[in-house]
Amino acid sequence: MYKKTATGTVWARSHVYISPDMNHSNAFVQFTLEELVKQYGDEFKKEGRTLEHVFCWSDGCAGQFKNKNQFYWLVNSLSLDGGKSYVRIAHHFFQSCHGKV
């Protein structure tokens, strides 16, 4: 996560999930994204703000990100509080073979 503060500094936060899921399936990707959105939603709530938008960047792996299951999941926005408010997620893709280091 990158954040611009009042002083103009930018910081990043990385997340790593270790799993026995050797398929790196789309279901695992959705699980981790849901966990992250909930975590950030809680952090925003503590600050008196509401998490409304999430921007994801990834490679174009068809098995994990660029498939009908992921797009269906994205259009059914996540609810953080039982349906009272929703988080809009925008998923962007790097050019093929350019998102990996």
Side-chain angles (χ1 to χ4, degrees):
M1 179 179 118
Y2 293 91
K3 181 177 181 180
K4 185 172 183 178
T5 65
T7 59
T9 57
V10 177
W11 57 272
R13 184 187 299 177
S14 298
H15 300 273
V16 176
Y17 285 85
I18 299 173
S19 168
D21 179 5
M22 297 304 290
N23 295 324
H24 305 283
S25 68
N26 178 247
F28 182 71
V29 169
Q30 291 174 4
F31 169 79
T32 58
L33 289 173
E34 287 175 7
E35 290 296 312
L36 287 172
V37 168
K38 288 176 188 171
Q39 177 184 341
Y40 284 111
D42 291 343
E43 288 183 25
F44 273 56
K45 191 174 186 177
K46 287 178 187 175
E47 296 173 1
R49 301 183 300 149
T50 302
L51 179 63
E52 296 176 353
H53 302 283
V54 173
F55 299 93
C56 297
W57 283 91
S58 69
D59 62 3
C61 176
Q64 297 170 336
F65 304 111
K66 215 180 226 184
N67 61 55
K68 66 180 181 181
N69 297 326
Q70 185 69 6
F71 286 107
Y72 178 81
W73 180 80
L74 285 171
V75 298
N76 292 296
S77 301
L78 290 172
S79 170
L80 295 176
D81 52 8
K84 295 177 185 172
S85 65
Y86 291 88
V87 177
R88 180 177 291 183
I89 300 175
H91 197 152
H92 304 275
F93 301 96
F94 292 106
Q95 182 177 347
S96 295
C97 302
H98 288 77
K100 294 188 177 189
V101 182

